[in-house]
Amino acid sequence: MGEFRTMKYDPQILESKWQAFWEKEGLFKSTEDPSKEKYYLLEMFPYPSGRIHIGHVRNYTIGDVVARYMRMRGKNVLHPMGWDAFGMPAENAAIENNTHPAKWTFDNIAAMKKQLKRMGFSYDWDRELATCDPAYYRWEQLVFLKMYEKGLAYKKKTHVNWCESCQSVLANEQVEDGCCWRHTDREVTIKEMDSWFLKITEYADEILDYCQRLPGWPERVLTMQKNWIGKSYGAIIRFPMDGSDEVIDTFTTRQDTVFGATFLCFAPEHPLVKEIVKGLPQEKKVTDFVERTLKMDSYMRTADFTAKEGVFSGRYCINPVTEEKIPIFVANFVLFEYGTGAIMAVPTHDQRDFEFAKKYGLKLRVVIQNPDGNLDEETMAEAYVGEGTLVNSGPFNGQQNLAALDNIAEYLESKGMGHKTENFRIRDWGISRQRYWGAPIPVIYCDRCGTVPVPQDDLPVVLPLDLDMRPNGGSPLPFEPSFYKTTCPECKGDARRETDTMDTFVESSWYFDRYTCPDYHEGPLDPERVDYWMPVDQYIGGIEHAILHLLYSRFYTRVLKDFGYLKVREPFTKLLTQGMVCKETQECETHGLLYPYEVKEGLCVHCQTPVKTGNTVKMSKSKRNVVDPQDLIDQYGADTLRMFCLFASPPDRDLEWSDQGVEGSYRFVNRLWRLVVDHLEGLQAVGSYEGEGGLSEPLEALHRKTHQTIKKVTSDIENRFHFNTAIAAIMELVNEINQFLNSNEEKDQIAWSVIREAVTSVVVLLFPVVPHITEELQSMLGLDQSLVETPWPEHSEEALKEQKRLVVLQVNGKLRSKIEVPASYGKDEIEAEALADERIQRFTEGKAIKKVIVVQKKLVNVVV
RNA sequence: GCCGAAGUGGCGGAAUUGGUAGACGCGCUAGGUUCAGGGUCUAGUGGGCGCAAGUCCGUGCGAGUUCGAGUCUCGCCUUCGGCACCA
């Protein structure tokens, strides 16, 4: 009876057994060993929300397969895990549940850690870190001080993005479609505020340049980063004001059209606007317009459906090449942050300028004639943006416009009217957050000494934990004298601490470095260890960080390198962006969107009416189309869940959730279990076949299939991360083993040895995917060594050799027959055999054979 | 509008270099397990015609290259992402 019970597949029992074993033996601990080739595998660390979701499961399962595989390949693998532990949800939850963000965070970490352990992921938990730990963020504060020293961190008053839900400023990267990336229904407004910035623009050119040197990154991530950096080549052209010494700098990429510039536009925010209208009759009108425009939220103002609008400033400037007096406008479509915040307007060759000029009756002058030569400012209905020959352009008439770009830039430069330049779209990274649960910015403000950095010896500036949250949100720090009241490090007088905290993306910009030496206390990074492990060989995470975390990390890594903390310039050699997990939504007419557990047999559990199935979209609580990994673990075990996540689609594609698919994976795991358990006697009685020869044809086929599978699985994992096809190949082998077992073939010693070879191969190959059951089967098979320490198998070329080969026969490219030929046959013999084939003769009868194409050992095509 | 990816059975997906389209799994059908159900095993399963052997059609649509195209080229359609007044 007892024995019968152990023979049943019980994932709950055997999974915890093996998890305990791995932990006790410390099999996933990694230590630096210069004699071994290192492999640093990293998955994006989670925000400790309290429970793992299915996206984590997929991400971390993919990573775990690679980690376990690489370990079996003999690599010294680093596979750490930790917590992105600062951030606003902790503050909200604390207010809601009347607790403290720290307690909430640490409780969540404990709960999620338990879940990750239950999934059997092979992390080195000794390297665990939480970014809210002062022992972590103190080094970030140190780096901040060094950046401040070098001018890479600076404070300025400027127009910033404000999210009312976050009660905080956001960086440009954190605004999507005019909304906060965390609150997609909350429009961002523009506020003028004092904010700290990190000078990512200093590295923009290099980061862009290195996009060419990251062959291990997905093209679309690099494209997104290139677009975000937005480098363009052009010129600064200087327009002197009429009747004053003031000069207006404009940026253009189209200096070839400068002779057609018939007016100039300022962005509403431009500081010169106020100055030049002072005392003019237009002053009120202009200031009203500026105020009205700036009140609009940034999304509305810059949306392309917003009409181009502007107001005449009452002042003129001089086009430096035509010496013509041209009017100055203030226009809503001109961006202050891009270029110089002022543009020369060429209505004939820029559609925006064209619309603006038509609206306000401004002058047009064609300066690029199209190839038909019929372009006329009187009749044109839209701007001509194509190529052509310069006209009305003084000394440049007759030149091709593109060829003239450089010539005109040089001409401007020689006359002191401008110069060639490059411009970037990316702006500096605003890191001030008006939040409590973040790393304090280590700065002190003194009325006498101004902005004073906290002395390095006084670090860390610890975030105080013993204070009360403010009931209606907002940071308590500015209301906490024990925190903000301090003395000036320079004059020792009364001073005030900075109460803003850092963007949590600062923490995630270097956590991967810190994993290499989380216990180091002499500085941010232990040079020896960080140099051994960095860079990360393979990074795995969601595409949503394409231009957030991934761009910030590339910047921060360069800063650390320039400060001498690191030797690498790029943090992540290879990047895999896994797809989203999706599921169809379900909706009841009266009860709205339903969770899966609210639907029984297609009916709403509340009212028994049929449920409407909606689109398949990314799993999210708001769509209610979520499954809880914990429920799946409880029902099927971690192995089944891992198996399904890998089998349902390749990792970079979206995964469509299917309850039936999970059932299918569970069935396979059970089939694998029975394959060993039901034949234990035969399997235990022999050793694995090792290619000593003398096999019957069916046994040789099974032996060959075993080695074909080893070869296929290895290349699928190694070259493409296509775990779905790797698993499919193993399933095929399992099917063949079962077929042999069910056949009438004699099961003698040698037969069992070949079966054993096949079965042990299945067990080893599947270990990275389903580590618990395979460890159990491995030990049942009498193999003492843990699979963690078992080397990955290598296929034998000898075993792959076939006596006979299948050759496909075609007539005019259509499949007509198949024949088997000895592997030793050459082209001529195969051709002769093909032409002699009965079916081929039937299809070629009475026709002249024009040509015969023979593809060695594969195919013959007879053309008639 | 611009850039990119994708489009293959009832479904998820294979087909890595131009060479048997649909591996593997789900679902479905029939049968066995001497049958409550479930589980499990066996066989079948792209479509049309046919009793059958067969045969024709078939990878979003239309052309092209080729002995041969899911795969390459050109033109369109659809879907999904990203960017979008960036001067």
Side-chain angles (χ1 to χ4, degrees):
Chain A
M1 185 67 194
E3 189 161 356
F4 174 78
R5 284 176 72 102
T6 60
M7 286 295 121
K8 191 168 176 292
Y9 173 56
D10 185 338
Q12 305 304 333
I13 290 175
L14 77 89
E15 288 181 358
S16 40
K17 167 182 159 187
W18 287 103
Q19 283 157 16
F21 172 80
W22 297 325
E23 187 158 351
K24 190 176 126 250
E25 301 289 315
L27 290 173
F28 306 129
K29 307 260 170 273
S30 37
T31 45
E32 299 68 31
D33 179 354
S35 71
K36 277 173 91 180
E37 196 185 340
K38 67 98 183 179
Y39 189 88
Y40 187 177
L41 177 89
L42 184 69
E43 302 120 44
M44 289 181 185
F45 68 166
Y47 179 79
S49 57
R51 287 176 85 78
I52 58 169
H53 58 66
I54 211 76
H56 294 130
V57 169
R58 187 178 192 205
N59 187 174
Y60 301 158
T61 300
I62 293 165
D64 200 51
V65 173
V66 178
R68 286 174 184 266
Y69 169 79
M70 287 300 173
R71 202 170 273 121
M72 292 168 91
R73 293 299 301 246
K75 302 276 176 66
N76 190 22
V77 172
L78 174 59
H79 188 209
M81 182 45 72
W83 311 98
D84 190 10
F86 271 139
M88 205 191 41
E91 290 181 60
N92 294 341
I95 294 162
E96 230 167 85
N97 310 325
N98 195 27
T99 168
H100 191 280
K103 179 171 167 28
W104 184 83
T105 301
F106 285 112
D107 286 352
N108 285 349
I109 287 175
M112 286 175 81
K113 187 171 173 181
K114 195 175 158 198
Q115 287 189 299
L116 293 180
K117 287 192 165 181
R118 182 62 192 83
M119 281 300 297
F121 297 135
S122 60
Y123 298 124
D124 178 356
W125 283 107
D126 286 356
R127 294 174 184 263
E128 177 183 7
L129 59 82
T131 56
C132 63
D133 184 347
Y136 181 81
Y137 66 71
R138 67 169 296 180
W139 302 117
E140 195 170 301
Q141 292 175 334
L142 177 70
V143 171
F144 178 90
L145 293 178
K146 294 201 164 221
M147 289 177 82
Y148 179 73
E149 234 169 70
K150 293 255 155 61
L152 289 170
Y154 64 91
K155 192 177 197 190
K156 81 172 171 191
K157 186 168 193 164
T158 183
H159 300 271
V160 291
N161 312 295
W162 177 268
C163 172
E164 197 56 34
S165 296
C166 291
Q167 282 287 303
S168 181
V169 168
L170 299 176
N172 296 318
E173 289 80 10
Q174 292 153 32
V175 180
E176 290 170 1
D177 290 333
C179 295
C180 169
W181 73 296
R182 282 295 190 214
H183 306 100
T184 47
D185 49 357
R186 173 68 82 171
E187 278 181 2
V188 162
T189 53
I190 299 298
K191 265 195 179 182
E192 200 173 22
M193 280 180 76
D194 255 337
S195 259
W196 284 96
F197 290 86
L198 300 187
K199 215 166 181 181
I200 193 169
T201 53
E202 182 89 8
Y203 291 86
D205 216 0
E206 196 201 303
I207 292 172
L208 178 69
D209 199 37
Y210 269 73
C211 285
Q212 322 297 329
R213 306 191 212 180
L214 289 171
W217 281 44
E219 199 50 49
R220 61 183 183 135
V221 174
L222 294 172
T223 305
M224 283 161 78
Q225 294 208 347
K226 285 182 212 163
N227 287 343
W228 186 260
I229 294 168
K231 184 178 185 176
S232 53
Y233 300 88
I236 299 282
I237 303 182
R238 317 186 59 192
F239 287 72
M241 289 277 299
D242 182 43
S244 89
D245 296 339
E246 203 75 59
V247 174
I248 303 162
D249 280 353
T250 62
F251 172 74
T252 182
T253 56
R254 294 297 307 275
Q255 60 269 26
D256 54 325
T257 64
V258 62
F259 286 85
T262 51
F263 56 99
L264 191 139
C265 290
F266 272 122
E269 298 93 331
H270 201 292
L272 268 182
V273 171
K274 272 183 206 156
E275 234 171 89
I276 65 167
V277 298
K278 210 161 265 167
L280 296 186
Q282 285 88 349
E283 180 170 2
K284 175 99 177 66
K285 228 174 125 185
V286 172
T287 18
D288 284 354
F289 174 78
V290 169
E291 256 177 51
R292 185 158 53 82
T293 310
L294 293 188
K295 245 184 225 153
M296 284 176 81
D297 64 75
S298 65
Y299 178 67
M300 284 302 289
R301 199 189 128 197
T302 58
D304 58 358
F305 50 78
T306 305
K308 286 162 195 40
E309 258 192 296
V311 59
F312 176 50
S313 68
R315 298 289 300 269
Y316 294 83
C317 64
I318 308 296
N319 180 324
V321 293
T322 61
E323 292 178 7
E324 183 183 19
K325 205 167 113 175
I326 61 172
I328 301 173
F329 279 75
V330 181
N332 64 346
F333 68 89
V334 180
L335 304 172
F336 178 59
E337 319 82 50
Y338 187 75
T340 60
I343 58 158
M344 68 171 198
V346 185
T348 43
H349 304 293
D350 182 290
Q351 187 56 27
R352 295 157 298 178
D353 299 349
F354 182 85
E355 284 166 34
F356 195 85
K358 283 290 169 192
K359 184 165 182 173
Y360 296 103
L362 299 166
K363 190 173 170 184
L364 279 69
R365 186 188 310 114
V366 169
V367 291
I368 296 174
Q369 189 51 262
N370 69 19
D372 298 339
N374 58 6
L375 206 58
D376 178 2
E377 45 271 297
E378 298 297 321
T379 57
M380 62 198 299
E382 57 179 8
Y384 176 70
V385 295
E387 294 173 24
T389 314
L390 292 187
V391 292
N392 295 324
S393 296
F396 301 98
N397 282 339
Q399 292 191 15
Q400 281 300 302
N401 71 305
L402 290 180
L405 277 169
D406 274 350
N407 300 339
I408 292 182
E410 279 158 28
Y411 173 78
L412 289 165
E413 190 148 10
S414 71
K415 304 269 176 188
M417 298 186 282
H419 56 90
K420 230 169 139 170
T421 190
E422 291 158 355
N423 192 56
F424 292 87
R425 196 187 89 111
I426 191 174
R427 278 159 273 153
D428 281 337
W429 175 15
I431 57 149
S432 291
R433 295 292 178 273
Q434 291 66 40
R435 304 301 321 174
Y436 162 68
W437 193 235
I441 296 172
V443 169
I444 290 166
Y445 303 109
C446 168
D447 287 341
R448 290 157 299 272
C449 312
T451 302
V452 183
V454 172
Q456 291 188 15
D457 291 345
D458 293 351
L459 293 183
V461 177
V462 176
L463 186 69
L465 297 180
D466 53 342
L467 39 65
D468 295 322
M469 294 299 107
R470 298 181 67 75
N472 40 5
S475 170
L477 292 178
F479 305 91
E480 191 61 37
S482 67
F483 177 72
Y484 68 71
K485 277 181 103 166
T486 187
T487 51
C488 172
E490 282 177 13
C491 69
K492 310 297 174 201
D494 286 350
R496 187 181 168 91
R497 269 188 206 288
E498 171 66 81
T499 53
D500 282 354
T501 52
M502 283 193 242
D503 184 359
T504 58
F505 278 109
V506 182
E507 281 91 69
S508 56
S509 291
W510 72 290
Y511 75 103
F512 40 88
D513 299 316
R514 186 70 187 173
Y515 276 146
T516 66
C517 50
D519 55 353
Y520 189 65
H521 298 301
E522 320 303 316
L525 300 168
D526 177 355
E528 216 165 291
R529 286 187 278 171
V530 78
D531 290 345
Y532 176 76
W533 291 112
M534 284 299 287
V536 173
D537 294 276
Q538 179 69 56
Y539 197 29
I540 306 173
I543 185 83
E544 66 272 19
H545 287 293
I547 40 178
L548 288 159
H549 163 59
L550 291 168
L551 189 66
Y552 295 143
S553 297
R554 292 184 64 205
F555 158 62
Y556 208 81
T557 299
R558 284 171 164 76
V559 172
L560 293 182
K561 179 184 184 291
D562 288 350
F563 288 168
Y565 291 123
L566 275 179
K567 289 218 171 91
V568 300
R569 195 178 289 266
E570 287 291 346
F572 315 123
T573 305
K574 286 181 81 184
L575 173 70
L576 174 70
T577 48
Q578 101 261 8
M580 300 178 298
V581 181
C582 302
K583 190 175 178 358
E584 73 279 3
T585 56
Q586 293 185 297
E587 195 164 5
C588 165
E589 269 181 24
T590 37
H591 297 93
L593 289 168
L594 301 175
Y595 285 107
Y597 60 78
E598 293 176 298
V599 181
K600 285 267 144 62
E601 282 157 15
L603 302 177
C604 170
V605 294
H606 309 292
C607 61
Q608 308 304 318
T609 53
V611 164
K612 211 178 87 197
T613 300
N615 292 341
T616 298
V617 293
K618 180 180 178 176
M619 272 192 193
S620 68
K621 277 199 185 125
S622 63
K623 293 273 191 283
R624 310 214 159 173
N625 57 342
V626 285
V627 292
D628 186 343
Q630 192 60 53
D631 294 345
L632 294 158
I633 294 172
D634 293 344
Q635 194 177 348
Y636 300 104
D639 280 342
T640 294
L641 185 50
R642 295 167 61 112
M643 174 90 166
F644 176 73
C645 284
L646 296 165
F647 183 63
S649 68
D652 52 340
R653 247 199 268 180
D654 285 352
L655 183 154
E656 198 171 312
W657 193 263
S658 151
D659 293 333
Q660 285 170 335
V662 179
E663 288 280 351
S665 295
Y666 186 61
R667 282 211 289 263
F668 175 74
V669 172
N670 273 282
R671 211 150 56 231
L672 176 69
W673 178 259
R674 288 196 307 272
L675 174 64
V676 175
V677 169
D678 292 353
H679 305 95
L680 213 46
E681 207 179 318
L683 289 167
Q684 281 176 338
V686 293
S688 282
Y689 177 74
E690 277 170 6
E692 45 274 46
L695 297 182
S696 66
E697 208 164 299
L699 282 175
E700 197 185 307
L702 182 58
H703 176 57
R704 182 163 56 239
K705 182 75 182 177
T706 301
H707 286 266
Q708 282 169 343
T709 306
I710 294 170
K711 187 178 179 184
K712 163 108 180 116
V713 171
T714 306
S715 86
D716 279 351
I717 296 179
E718 184 87 40
N719 304 329
R720 326 192 289 172
F721 288 164
H722 277 205
F723 312 112
N724 57 330
T725 52
I727 292 168
I730 297 169
M731 286 175 167
E732 280 185 57
L733 177 57
V734 169
N735 291 345
E736 284 211 13
I737 299 169
N738 276 321
Q739 260 163 40
F740 185 89
L741 286 166
N742 293 335
S743 71
N744 304 323
E745 297 294 331
E746 201 192 332
K747 315 288 187 305
D748 53 10
Q749 286 285 100
I750 188 135
W752 277 115
S753 74
V754 173
I755 296 166
R756 185 177 166 101
E757 185 201 23
V759 170
T760 52
S761 299
V762 166
V763 167
V764 179
L765 294 175
L766 268 180
F767 172 66
V769 175
V770 284
H772 311 90
I773 184 177
T774 45
E775 281 276 36
E776 183 71 20
L777 297 177
Q778 165 94 345
S779 95
M780 279 188 198
L781 287 165
L783 298 161
D784 295 335
Q785 192 179 34
S786 162
L787 284 165
V788 179
E789 295 177 303
T790 300
W792 189 256
E794 282 188 43
H795 72 269
S796 137
E797 283 296 331
E798 191 61 31
L800 297 183
K801 284 185 186 156
E802 289 184 70
Q803 299 293 313
K804 289 191 168 175
R805 284 203 168 254
L806 185 71
V807 174
V808 173
L809 306 184
Q810 299 179 333
V811 177
N812 287 343
K814 286 191 180 181
L815 176 71
R816 295 301 180 192
S817 186
K818 295 172 188 180
I819 53 170
E820 273 204 332
V821 300
S824 58
Y825 267 27
K827 271 196 172 184
D828 294 344
E829 289 160 305
I830 292 173
E831 181 174 337
E833 197 87 3
L835 291 174
D837 184 75
E838 185 201 339
R839 286 182 47 86
I840 292 304
Q841 291 197 340
R842 230 175 79 203
F843 278 92
T844 54
E845 203 170 22
K847 293 168 187 160
I849 292 173
K850 288 184 195 152
K851 204 175 184 183
V852 179
I853 287 134
V854 180
V855 179
Q856 192 72 299
K857 288 166 190 170
K858 248 189 186 163
L859 163 147
V860 177
N861 188 12
V862 183
V863 187
V864 293

